[in-house]
Amino acid sequence: KQEVTQIPAALSVPEGENLVLNCSFTDSAIYNLQWFRQDPGKGLTSLLLIQSSQREQTSGRLNASLDKSSGRSTLYIAASQPGDSATYLCAVRGYQKVTFGTGTKLQVIP
Amino acid sequence: SAVISQKPSRDICQRGTSLTIQCQVDSQVTMMFWYRQQPGQSLTLIATANQGSEATYESGFVIDKFPISRPNLTFSTLTVSNMSPEDSSIYLCSVELYGPNTEAFFGQGTRLTVV
């Protein structure tokens, strides 16, 4: 059974800082890994998708990496802004279904 | 990306009643997924809805409690039946727009409170 863990559970940083969110998973037999953000009480917004054959993906200030063999992914956010405040979820697409992580709640302080 | 519309966006319901949540996608998709997010928790898959066949339910979820319809390739409904306060959650539909194992997109969710 796939288990997905995100560390830290919560993070508070001053505006402008670069930060790293971590996601670890127990079963490396995956199709892809996807990062989402979720604003309070809302649905999920897709940020980045990394296929199992890829090492990283970039979109604007976001960079996600994947090390499938060690069961780890990181989401790097450069020059954080108050608008980045949200919960960040990673989701691992295995052969049977998608398993979501526990989330990291990020607060960027102006 | 896909435009996924969910209705209602929120509702407050009496225990013992049922609520049907609608999910409309602006593209034809093979599979649609229904998730539950309990307060303070991550997402849990309820079932996968395929057009023209019975939905496939995950362990812990049953058709009598969460009946699903999938009449065509752009629409699905999830009913939460005989509700209790423990059913208070955000319910989300999702699609893999470009085929199996591709990028997943989500609706804005339905926030359900059962009193």
Side-chain angles (χ1 to χ4, degrees):
Chain A
K1 178 188 171 186
Q2 179 75 272
E3 294 183 3
V4 182
T5 305
Q6 291 186 244
I7 295 173
L11 183 62
S12 183
V13 300
E15 180 177 3
E17 268 204 12
N18 302 324
L19 57 101
V20 175
L21 308 181
N22 297 292
C23 172
S24 62
F25 49 96
T26 55
D27 185 353
S28 62
I30 66 170
Y31 281 114
N32 58 53
L33 185 146
Q34 194 167 354
W35 283 92
F36 295 89
R37 69 173 279 167
Q38 184 177 31
D39 294 287
K42 303 294 186 182
L44 277 65
T45 300
S46 177
L47 298 174
L48 288 165
L49 172 75
I50 310 177
Q51 299 291 350
S52 63
S53 58
Q54 297 176 321
R55 298 283 294 186
E56 66 178 323
Q57 284 287 326
T58 298
S59 176
R61 294 183 293 109
L62 305 179
N63 176 277
S65 67
L66 174 64
D67 184 343
K68 199 173 71 165
S69 61
S70 67
R72 295 176 187 274
S73 176
T74 62
L75 179 66
Y76 175 83
I77 302 177
S80 58
Q81 303 171 357
D84 295 330
S85 298
T87 296
Y88 290 79
L89 296 164
C90 69
V92 176
R93 189 43 156 116
Y95 295 158
Q96 298 297 327
K97 66 176 185 178
V98 176
T99 303
F100 279 82
T102 47
T104 294
K105 186 173 184 179
L106 172 65
Q107 181 181 25
V108 180
I109 303 168
Chain B
S1 66
V3 175
I4 305 171
S5 301
Q6 263 187 255
K7 293 181 182 179
S9 59
R10 59 174 58 218
D11 207 343
I12 301 173
C13 301
Q14 297 290 323
R15 77 170 63 208
T17 62
S18 297
L19 176 72
T20 296
I21 302 168
Q22 300 179 3
C23 182
Q24 179 78 51
V25 188
D26 66 348
S27 303
Q28 293 186 340
V29 292
T30 304
M31 292 191 291
M32 296 176 77
F33 305 89
W34 286 98
Y35 287 86
R36 180 176 74 181
Q37 186 177 31
Q38 294 176 299
Q41 305 293 316
S42 193
L43 278 73
T44 301
L45 180 65
I46 298 172
T48 302
N50 297 309
Q51 193 269 333
S53 64
E54 292 282 334
T56 303
Y57 289 83
E58 295 298 308
S59 176
F61 297 97
V62 295
I63 188 171
D64 289 347
K65 176 67 175 177
F66 298 102
I68 288 172
S69 78
R70 183 79 202 275
N72 57 53
L73 291 173
T74 64
F75 186 78
S76 179
T77 67
L78 170 75
T79 298
V80 186
S81 303
N82 188 24
M83 289 183 284
S84 66
E86 292 70 36
D87 294 319
S88 298
S89 297
I90 298 175
Y91 292 85
L92 301 111
C93 69
S94 173
V95 301
E96 292 173 336
L97 184 62
Y98 305 111
N101 311 317
T102 61
E103 188 173 5
F105 296 93
F106 281 79
Q108 74 271 31
T110 296
R111 180 184 282 272
L112 170 62
T113 302
V114 184
V115 298

